[in-house]
Amino acid sequence: MTTLHLSKERRTVAGIISSVETLEGEGILVRRPFPKSTFSDFDPFLLLDELGPVEVAPGQAKGAPNHPHRGFETVTYLLKGRLEHKDSLGHTGTLNPGDVQWMTAGSGIVHSEMPEREFARTGGRLHALQLWVNLPQRSKLIPPRYQEISAERIPTVQSDDGLVTVKIIAGSAFGVSAAIETQTPIMYLHLILQPGATVVQPVPRDYNAFAYVLEGEGAFGADSERGEDGKMVLFAQDGEEVAIANSSAEVPLEVLLIGGVPLNEPVVRYGPFVMNTEAEIETAFADYRNGRMGTINV
């Protein structure tokens, strides 16, 4: 067994959530465990989308052109492919495999996420995750901010036996902390467990936490509940650590372990706007419609 830190009680599993398929942007097919009709959000998280993995034919790549955001953060984690992004503040850039973009929309921004030109021309394998993180009421209208972390800058650590690899996007593991600063306490880990490996990760009792299985099959929590590709595993708040085991004897288990402190504040959503009241949503929509969030220069 690989233990990241000795803690006290291990959490049980509160539920297993299946993803649904939905179309986003120009028609991007994504798998989404939440939000959906049976599971709206998981405070402080608002959405999790998995794009792919999919083989994109030459000239067939799709993206999410100009769209506004206000009141939350988007975390884009690119595993395969290349994406270009630009916004109404004049920010442009390219995400390559392994890169993370943590965008704080705050007071409002118009954003575009499209396939990088050469990737769109040639096609290839595309796989990405996008997580929406709610902002606390005090920070809803802070200035927009980007934290763009290249794959080389994301701390990656291994267990002593080499059976567990952890990419630390936010929070900490093995005593190593992420490069990203978050508005509220957030943990975001990409774990790769070789066959037969088990990992025990500290998760403070006041965190909501879940695992999302990218590939493989595992046993989760003190009760060893089974989770597989495309499933979201909710952990109960009944302990201070979570256990994840690779139950396969042949293939690795890849899983995201995500947690954060609940905001316990009202959430009012209208498309890409997330505020605390209906009046604030109306203001956000009016600001966007009247051009106060700016436009993207072609």
Side-chain angles (χ1 to χ4, degrees):
M1 175 184 295
T2 298
T3 302
L4 301 189
H5 178 73
L6 185 60
S7 173
K8 295 182 181 179
E9 303 170 61
R10 292 189 186 176
R11 296 190 183 202
T12 58
V13 170
I16 307 290
I17 307 295
S18 296
S19 297
V20 298
E21 291 188 346
T22 183
L23 296 177
E24 295 297 315
E26 296 178 314
I28 307 169
L29 183 64
V30 301
R31 292 196 296 185
R32 175 180 293 170
F34 73 101
K36 57 186 181 182
S37 59
T38 56
F39 190 58
S40 60
D41 57 44
F42 190 56
D43 192 7
F45 306 107
L46 302 162
L47 171 149
L48 178 66
D49 277 351
E50 181 183 13
L51 166 60
V54 62
E55 293 295 333
V56 179
Q60 298 300 308
K62 301 179 184 297
N66 305 2
H67 55 283
H69 294 296
R70 173 176 282 183
F72 63 99
E73 302 180 288
T74 62
V75 186
T76 303
Y77 180 27
L78 186 63
L79 299 177
K80 298 290 183 180
R82 294 189 303 279
L83 296 176
E84 289 182 345
H85 55 92
K86 57 179 67 176
D87 66 28
S88 52
L89 296 178
H91 184 88
T92 63
T94 300
L95 289 178
N96 294 299
D99 292 352
V100 173
Q101 180 194 80
W102 196 294
M103 184 184 77
T104 304
S107 58
I109 199 168
V110 180
H111 193 228
S112 173
E113 301 161 284
M114 300 296 291
E116 183 266 340
R117 184 174 303 178
E118 183 63 15
F119 178 80
R121 186 184 71 81
T122 62
R125 193 168 181 82
L126 184 61
H127 193 190
L129 285 301
Q130 189 164 85
L131 176 72
W132 288 15
V133 183
N134 201 6
L135 283 171
Q137 188 171 24
R138 67 179 184 278
S139 303
K140 284 289 188 188
L141 298 180
I142 60 177
R145 178 192 183 190
Y146 285 91
Q147 297 179 80
E148 292 178 337
I149 311 297
S150 65
E152 295 75 18
R153 292 179 55 210
I154 296 174
T156 301
V157 294
Q158 278 192 329
S159 59
D160 291 340
D161 58 13
L163 295 179
V164 179
T165 301
V166 185
K167 298 181 180 181
I168 308 168
I169 298 170
S172 62
F174 282 93
V176 178
S177 296
I180 287 172
E181 301 173 359
T182 61
Q183 294 295 319
T184 58
I186 298 293
M187 175 186 66
Y188 189 156
L189 306 177
H190 179 184
L191 299 102
I192 304 171
L193 285 72
Q194 298 303 316
T198 297
V199 65
V200 179
Q201 168 66 29
V203 179
R205 194 178 292 268
D206 59 341
Y207 275 49
N208 279 340
F210 70 91
Y212 182 74
V213 183
L214 295 173
E215 185 174 348
E217 181 181 311
F220 295 82
D223 35 5
S224 297
E225 291 284 341
R226 177 177 175 271
E228 59 187 0
D229 186 14
K231 302 284 188 179
M232 176 179 175
V233 180
L234 300 182
F235 291 103
Q237 286 182 299
D238 54 3
E240 297 177 359
E241 62 186 19
V242 299
I244 301 173
N246 186 348
S247 53
S248 168
E250 299 178 354
V251 298
L253 168 67
E254 291 201 43
V255 61
L256 304 179
L257 180 58
I258 298 173
V261 176
L263 300 180
N264 296 317
E265 296 176 351
V267 175
V268 182
R269 302 174 63 154
Y270 181 81
F273 306 131
V274 182
M275 303 302 292
N276 298 107
T277 67
E278 292 284 355
E280 290 170 337
I281 290 289
E282 292 173 4
T283 298
F285 185 75
D287 286 347
Y288 171 60
R289 183 183 56 204
N290 294 323
R292 286 191 281 270
M293 293 185 188
T295 57
I296 297 177
N297 295 324
V298 178

